[in-house]
Amino acid sequence: MSLLEIRQLKKSFGDLQVIKNISLKVEQGEVIAIIGPSGSGKSTLLRCATMLESIDAGDILYLGESAFKADKDGMPHKVTGAELKKIRSYFGLVFQDFNLFPHFSVMKNVTDALIHTQNKSKEEAYDIGRRLLTKMGLSEKENAYPFQLSGGQQQRVSIARALALNPKVLFFDEPTSALDPELTSEVLKVIKSLAKEHMTMVIVTHEMNFAKEVANHVIFMDEGVIAEEGTPEEVFGNPKSDRTKAFIKGYQ
């Protein structure tokens, strides 16, 4: 059974169809990089997968459990109650703009959900938080506030926050797009270390060299469809479609 399966997904905003009948599977331990031009639907696909957007058709399943239920007219709606809480426990999401609470300390940002959604004691949550902040190279920053951190440090805090809930799959939406090159490298280093630990990840990125190095499966999206997919060697080294060739050439 796949950890995540997306079946015939469609999503429109008004008259603009952003996702056109996309299907994909994510297996345990897999690192999928999603690349493509701006406006191709990459971030919308992630937002649908993490239930931040409704969907118009199709299904999204985590460990075989549907995240959406069809109503009497066949329209899919997000599950509710205990089902929703369970589905959400399967994934974490790291945003491109960090989304940290500015009035929370680093430690409170990392542990607040542990305490209030997983009912961990403060002591247990802080133990988890300290372990993750050490892993992120931020052990001395637990009492700092987001405004006191660099962008790279803030992004590493957001990764620690996502990992704290022990998700089965971690989504990244352009995790370095808000960072300058020097800070980008420290965030990519953390993600590479997670890949070596066989963390299941789906990463929307414009960092082609990073995608080539960290992913074991690459998806190239264009105009709301998966235009090409395969191993990094296949997609970057021997792309089949002219559109993929042109896109990759533009980054070389």
Side-chain angles (χ1 to χ4, degrees):
M1 181 188 300
S2 300
L3 199 160
L4 166 65
E5 184 176 359
I6 295 175
R7 298 176 180 170
Q8 298 179 311
L9 184 67
K10 297 179 182 178
K11 172 65 181 176
S12 297
F13 294 104
D15 294 332
L16 178 64
Q17 191 173 14
V18 180
I19 302 292
K20 306 171 184 175
N21 203 30
I22 281 182
S23 297
L24 64 89
K25 293 182 179 181
V26 180
E27 307 298 337
Q28 181 70 42
E30 194 170 26
V31 179
I32 293 180
I34 303 177
I35 63 172
S38 297
S40 59
K42 306 184 302 295
S43 291
T44 299
L45 178 63
L46 239 62
R47 290 180 63 82
C48 289
T50 54
M51 307 172 76
L52 292 174
E53 294 285 356
S54 61
I55 65 175
D56 299 329
D59 204 356
I60 298 169
L61 301 98
Y62 286 90
L63 295 173
E65 299 175 41
S66 181
F68 292 86
K69 302 285 188 184
D71 63 17
K72 58 182 176 60
D73 297 317
M75 284 294 297
H77 293 276
K78 189 163 54 179
V79 295
T80 58
E83 284 182 294
L84 178 60
K85 185 176 181 180
K86 186 177 182 182
I87 293 289
R88 281 182 169 161
S89 74
Y90 292 144
F91 62 80
L93 174 61
V94 177
F95 298 89
Q96 57 183 308
D97 54 358
F98 323 136
N99 273 31
L100 298 176
F101 294 108
H103 57 295
F104 283 6
S105 69
V106 164
M107 180 61 78
K108 189 168 173 62
N109 264 289
V110 173
T111 60
D112 194 62
L114 276 173
I115 295 169
H116 292 103
T117 68
Q118 293 194 354
N119 301 315
K120 303 281 189 189
S121 68
K122 184 175 179 180
E123 181 180 5
E124 185 180 2
Y126 273 45
D127 283 345
I128 293 170
R130 288 194 177 100
R131 175 175 56 80
L132 288 169
L133 289 175
T134 297
K135 185 185 183 79
M136 298 294 125
L138 295 169
S139 56
E140 77 287 359
K141 298 293 187 182
E142 68 173 73
N143 295 316
Y145 286 81
F147 76 91
Q148 297 172 308
L149 305 179
S150 70
Q153 289 170 330
Q154 289 185 63
Q155 191 61 293
R156 282 182 281 156
V157 172
S158 69
I159 294 171
R161 178 179 61 184
L163 288 171
L165 296 172
N166 197 28
K168 295 187 179 300
V169 57
L170 197 54
F171 294 93
F172 292 85
D173 186 9
E174 297 278 14
T176 61
S177 66
L179 306 177
D180 62 39
E182 185 177 352
L183 300 178
T184 291
S185 63
E186 64 188 43
V187 173
L188 296 184
K189 183 179 178 181
V190 166
I191 299 173
K192 288 175 186 176
S193 72
L194 294 175
K196 289 179 181 177
E197 296 170 7
H198 306 293
M199 179 75 200
T200 308
M201 294 183 283
V202 179
I203 308 167
V204 169
T205 183
H206 62 277
E207 300 280 348
M208 296 300 110
N209 289 332
F210 169 67
K212 191 186 304 184
E213 183 178 347
V214 76
N216 44 44
H217 192 81
V218 176
I219 290 173
F220 172 63
M221 284 185 62
D222 189 40
E223 296 185 349
V225 301
I226 296 175
E228 189 161 345
E229 61 181 311
T231 66
E233 293 78 13
E234 290 168 340
V235 174
F236 291 107
N238 188 29
K240 295 181 177 62
S241 77
D242 291 339
R243 184 66 188 94
T244 311
K245 291 175 184 175
F247 176 80
I248 291 172
K249 186 176 181 180
Y251 277 88
Q252 292 174 340

